[in-house]
Amino acid sequence: EESFPVASTFKLYVLAALADAVASGRVAWDEPLAIQEDARSLPFGELQNEAVGTEYSLQEYAQLMISISDNTATDHLMTYLGRGQVEAMVEASGHHDPSLMSPMYMTHELFALKLLATPEERAEFLALDSLAQTAYLDELEFDFATAMLGAGFWTSPMYPELEWFASGRDLCNVMHVLRDQAETPEGEPLRTILSQNPGMIPEDGRFSWVGYKGG
């Protein structure tokens, strides 16, 4: 029942929000989306190295987000869906305190706050209410090259108050949502997306299917 920083496991909420958007007809799995400079983030991942304008389908972004925890793929999906859609999925999934996930950070925003902001700027941000924090993030600039340099010195937990928070039960709840979505015709690709990386489970036939969030 305890809330704790869950790091990139928050991407399960992004995936569920994407599946919900597909089910409602707002987007399609095969819809193309071009790489944008303002949605580029730090590794993990591969897409941070791609040229602006290179197109991938939404399903390809989702597969990279889940299988190798691609941060740039994540931020492109969040930008495309809208921050509010992912926050709505947090609430709809049964998170015990959705305010802990509001505003829902994109990965490059959290990197900017941890690696580029001054202590005074971090304190100023944390003192704001959720709406003001969202407005702050919408105007936040991200210097990719400088953040990459700073990340090289990131060897231990840094500013854990700036994170995505959930309990074990919350994570079970969002996995339950994904399971239910995967059983619909529109959500059928979810099983492929979630099983591309089998994690540490041996492929010896003990399980009929294994889903895993890489990272």
Side-chain angles (χ1 to χ4, degrees), residues 76-117:
H76 277 75
L77 290 175
M78 287 188 68
T79 300
Y80 198 60
L81 294 170
R83 192 192 311 272
Q85 293 301 308
V86 185
E87 291 173 345
M89 178 52 66
V90 172
E91 183 170 1
S93 70
H95 192 291
H96 78 284
D97 185 0
S99 68
L100 295 175
M101 289 279 215
S102 179
M104 174 67 89
Y105 301 113
M106 296 189 212
T107 67
H108 75 273
E109 293 170 340
L110 213 56
F111 288 135
L113 290 169
K114 287 177 180 279
L115 295 170
L116 303 177

Side-chain angles (χ1 to χ4, degrees), residues 3-150:
S3 295
F4 56 95
V6 298
S8 65
T9 303
F10 91 93
K11 294 168 187 176
L12 294 174
Y13 291 103
V14 181
L15 181 61
L18 174 61
D20 186 62
V22 171
S24 70
R26 299 195 303 275
V27 303
W29 291 112
D30 60 357
E31 197 167 316
L33 177 61
I35 295 290
Q36 306 164 40
E37 185 60 41
D38 60 2
R40 196 185 301 276
S41 189
L42 300 186
F44 291 133
E46 300 173 350
L47 292 189
Q48 72 276 359
N49 300 318
E50 292 293 333
V52 170
T54 305
E55 289 189 346
Y56 293 87
S57 71
L58 297 185
Q59 182 167 342
E60 289 173 316
Y61 280 102
Q63 288 174 174
L64 288 168
M65 175 178 71
I66 297 300
S67 64
I68 62 171
S69 202
D70 194 302
N71 289 323
T72 296
T74 305
D75 288 5
H76 277 75
L77 290 175
M78 287 188 68
T79 300
Y80 198 60
L81 294 170
R83 192 192 311 272
Q85 293 301 308
V86 185
E87 291 173 345
M89 178 52 66
V90 172
E91 183 170 1
S93 70
H95 192 291
H96 78 284
D97 185 0
S99 68
L100 295 175
M101 289 279 215
S102 179
M104 174 67 89
Y105 301 113
M106 296 189 212
T107 67
H108 75 273
E109 293 170 340
L110 213 56
F111 288 135
L113 290 169
K114 287 177 180 279
L115 295 170
L116 303 177
T118 65
E120 293 75 19
E121 288 169 336
R122 277 189 291 273
E124 174 190 354
F125 174 79
L126 289 168
L128 300 173
D129 63 26
S130 179
L131 285 176
Q133 284 183 342
T134 299
Y136 186 104
L137 293 175
D138 287 343
E139 299 298 323
L140 190 63
E141 294 186 0
F142 181 61
D143 184 331
F144 179 87
T146 303
M148 278 292 288
L149 289 174

